[in-house]
Amino acid sequence: MTSTSPRGSVADGFRDAMAGLASGVCVVTTTAGGVPAGLTTTAVMSVSLDPPLVAVGVGRTSRTLEPLRAARRFAVHVLPHDREDVAAVFASKATDKFAGLAVRPGEGGVPVLADVARHVVECETWAEVEAGDHVLLVGRVVRVHGAAAADGRALVHFDRAFHPVGAARSEQECA
């Protein structure tokens, strides 16, 4: 099979094909040497329930990769539909991505974004897998926090743009 991408290369065709997958938007945070770090990613997947494991793909050129490796702990924040602003900041090259956000310490001092996630999954690094221009960090889940955004809608990335998905729940359902 050859690429049908208008640009012609297999890599471009692959990028186009992956843009056609709706993916949940997450922010991954860590701290190394007392300095918080974080990134936005859609490369998150559950791996196992026994033990509970989650994998996060991190680009080799990411400034957050070395802090993640050094800390061996991280938190995955599943973003709600209305936090595209947080996704954009953590996807940027901003020097202080945590500015203006309520942050509390999680397991091992990992920064937890207290008010911006549907769910927070705190992990200890269980394995690293070399994967081309990325590294897959497999985390053993040590704690899960419930939703701060209780209305039931999530943020996904599809066709190179953010989109809200899900149905809003009534206030009674959220209580």
Side-chain angles (χ1 to χ4, degrees):
M1 178 181 240
T2 60
S3 171
T4 58
S5 171
R7 295 177 293 234
S9 78
V10 171
D12 288 339
F14 179 64
R15 190 176 295 111
D16 290 345
M18 293 300 98
L21 290 176
S23 301
V25 180
C26 297
V27 167
V28 176
T29 60
T30 193
T31 189
V35 178
L39 59 88
T40 298
T41 185
T42 57
V44 174
M45 66 178 264
S46 64
V47 175
S48 169
L49 284 175
D50 187 18
L53 302 174
V54 63
V56 177
V58 182
R60 290 186 186 281
T61 60
S62 171
R63 293 181 300 160
T64 305
L65 179 59
E66 287 313 311
L68 283 163
R69 284 179 151 164
R72 305 217 28 96
R73 291 182 176 273
F74 57 92
V76 178
H77 302 76
V78 180
L79 296 184
H81 76 285
D82 60 350
R83 293 318 304 250
E84 184 178 332
D85 60 328
V86 174
V89 168
F90 279 86
S92 76
K93 303 272 189 215
T95 54
D96 184 2
K97 296 178 181 182
F98 296 84
L101 296 175
V103 178
R104 64 175 177 71
E107 289 284 322
V110 170
V112 171
L113 306 176
D115 300 325
V116 302
R118 288 178 46 102
H119 292 89
V120 180
V121 180
E122 293 187 57
C123 303
E124 294 175 341
T125 301
W126 189 74
E128 287 187 27
V129 179
E130 302 296 322
D133 61 1
H134 279 62
V135 174
L136 295 178
L137 296 175
V138 180
R140 185 179 63 80
V141 178
V142 296
R143 185 187 293 172
V144 179
H145 306 267
D151 80 350
R153 294 177 287 175
L155 184 65
V156 298
H157 197 256
F158 171 73
D159 201 20
R160 297 179 176 87
F162 293 114
H163 303 276
V165 298
R169 289 184 263 180
S170 70
E171 287 187 31
Q172 280 183 321
E173 291 175 302
C174 295

